[in-house]
Amino acid sequence: IDVEGRVPVRVPVATLAERTAVPAGVARALRVTDETGAAVAGAQVRARFASAASPERETASPLEVLATTDVDGRAVVRLPADRDADVLVEAKDLVVEGLHLTASDAAPAAPLEVRIARGIEVRVDVRDEKGAPVAGADVLALSAADRSTARRHATSDARGAASIAGLRPGRVELLAHRAGLAWTAVTTSAAPGAPPVVVTLKAGKRLALVVEDPSGVPLPGVAVRSVARADAASGVPDPSDPDAAPWETDAHGVLLVDDLPDREFDLYLTKAGHGEEIVARVRPGGATWYATLVPTPK
């Protein structure tokens, strides 16, 4: 439930009452400037916080509020009074700045000053296994921003080249992907004047999964969440889309996913009215995997 000027709340449908309180929360004002002290207009301020006051018992994703700085670099986000919040401030070609605001912090009378630097540009050269350029590849750069992760996106051109600006000096994780080719990850260091980072995309593997009930009836609408098994020897992050939503079986209880890397996954299957099932050590390829979901007692 999202009401303008108040803190959004998440309420399970099963517990939704005739009246639901939407708290006013605390208004936190920020002023964003660049290295010279000039106001940064149009910066996006993204605040995330747990959807309940006891996050250790909360399994849902965080709630989020957005604001945009005005011509004076000012923005206001309304946060819950009983929970901490992580804030990301992002502007074009500038470093993404992260802040952690605790619930115990009293809202100051003056705006919180946030100064963001120009940052470094990282160039990327996307190639296939034969060394040919890959045009139209999605390139994602992940870097630390306080307790959060900053994300920057780019698309490779006809020469397979892409550039991502506004990165903080130091460790950066680069992930790249294009339809028909698997996600690939490379860890690099953002530094001025560094040569392009070469990312080689390999042909993807197919995952084929069939989900049924104990009677052999296909189960549509089964949510399938994949978790890549850790590969400590590789020294690179998981080569998969970090923002992907769970997959879902079709009307025939079938799930087909192409473009997967050649590594093992654990699959977590859930559907309302059924017990969770885990299919461990699944490797995409020629095999078809089968799973059975058992209805929960009513």
Side-chain angles (χ1 to χ4, degrees), residues 7 24-28 47-49 65 77-81 83 85 87 101:
V7 178
V26 177
R28 297 299 302 265
R48 292 177 176 173
F49 45 85
V65 293
V77 288
R78 193 162 288 275
L79 305 177
R83 274 157 281 166
V87 179
L101 303 180

Side-chain angles (χ1 to χ4, degrees), residues 209-212 219 222-226 247 249 253 255 266-271 274-280 282 290-293:
L209 175 70
V210 178
V211 185
E212 302 172 336
L219 283 177
V222 176
V224 181
R225 181 171 61 90
S226 69
W247 301 316
T249 57
L255 172 69
D266 292 333
L267 302 179
Y268 294 80
L269 282 59
T270 56
K271 181 178 174 65
H274 296 74
E276 182 183 66
E277 181 68 20
I278 301 175
V279 184
V282 171
Y290 291 85
T292 302
L293 291 191

Side-chain angles (χ1 to χ4, degrees), residues 163-187:
S163 62
I164 302 178
L167 296 177
R168 191 185 307 276
R171 179 187 173 91
V172 176
E173 295 173 354
L174 295 173
L175 294 96
H177 167 264
R178 198 192 70 178
L181 302 172
W183 280 91
T184 299
V186 174
T187 300

Side-chain angles (χ1 to χ4, degrees), residues 141-232:
L142 306 179
S143 58
D146 195 73
R147 301 190 184 192
S148 302
T149 300
R151 286 166 159 77
R152 292 289 198 185
H153 297 264
T155 303
S156 62
D157 61 19
R159 298 177 293 108
S163 62
I164 302 178
L167 296 177
R168 191 185 307 276
R171 179 187 173 91
V172 176
E173 295 173 354
L174 295 173
L175 294 96
H177 167 264
R178 198 192 70 178
L181 302 172
W183 280 91
T184 299
V186 174
T187 300
T188 187
S189 181
V197 179
V198 178
V199 180
T200 302
L201 302 186
K202 298 181 180 180
K205 301 288 185 178
R206 165 173 282 196
L207 168 65
L209 175 70
V210 178
V211 185
E212 302 172 336
D213 69 10
S215 301
V217 177
L219 283 177
V222 176
V224 181
R225 181 171 61 90
S226 69
V227 178
R229 282 187 164 255
D231 185 3

Side-chain angles (χ1 to χ4, degrees), residues 38-222:
V40 177
Q44 184 181 70
V45 180
R46 183 189 306 269
R48 292 177 176 173
F49 45 85
S51 60
S54 301
E56 64 274 9
R57 297 194 298 271
E58 179 66 31
T59 58
S61 59
L63 292 172
E64 182 176 274
V65 293
L66 300 174
T68 303
T69 57
D70 60 18
V71 292
D72 295 319
R74 299 175 186 270
V76 176
V77 288
R78 193 162 288 275
L79 305 177
D82 58 352
R83 274 157 281 166
D84 294 359
D86 289 303
V87 179
L88 285 175
V89 181
E90 181 176 356
K92 181 177 175 58
D93 296 337
L94 300 177
V95 170
V96 178
E97 192 64 45
L99 307 167
H100 181 73
L101 303 180
T102 64
S104 60
D105 290 342
L112 178 64
E113 296 287 340
V114 181
R115 181 162 292 192
I116 48 181
R118 172 62 57 180
I120 294 172
E121 181 181 61
V122 171
R123 295 174 295 154
V124 183
D125 190 7
V126 186
R127 301 279 167 174
D128 64 16
E129 293 181 278
K130 297 181 179 179
V134 176
D138 297 319
V139 182
L140 174 64
L142 306 179
S143 58
D146 195 73
R147 301 190 184 192
S148 302
T149 300
R151 286 166 159 77
R152 292 289 198 185
H153 297 264
T155 303
S156 62
D157 61 19
R159 298 177 293 108
S163 62
I164 302 178
L167 296 177
R168 191 185 307 276
R171 179 187 173 91
V172 176
E173 295 173 354
L174 295 173
L175 294 96
H177 167 264
R178 198 192 70 178
L181 302 172
W183 280 91
T184 299
V186 174
T187 300
T188 187
S189 181
V197 179
V198 178
V199 180
T200 302
L201 302 186
K202 298 181 180 180
K205 301 288 185 178
R206 165 173 282 196
L207 168 65
L209 175 70
V210 178
V211 185
E212 302 172 336
D213 69 10
S215 301
V217 177
L219 283 177
V222 176

Side-chain angles (χ1 to χ4, degrees), residues 238-283:
D238 290 338
S240 58
D241 184 354
D243 301 317
W247 301 316
E248 191 171 286
T249 57
D250 64 15
H252 307 287
V254 176
L255 172 69
L256 296 176
V257 181
D258 295 308
D259 310 345
L260 293 178
D262 186 14
R263 69 179 300 180
E264 290 184 337
F265 293 82
D266 292 333
L267 302 179
Y268 294 80
L269 282 59
T270 56
K271 181 178 174 65
H274 296 74
E276 182 183 66
E277 181 68 20
I278 301 175
V279 184
R281 307 191 76 92
V282 171
R283 184 178 289 273

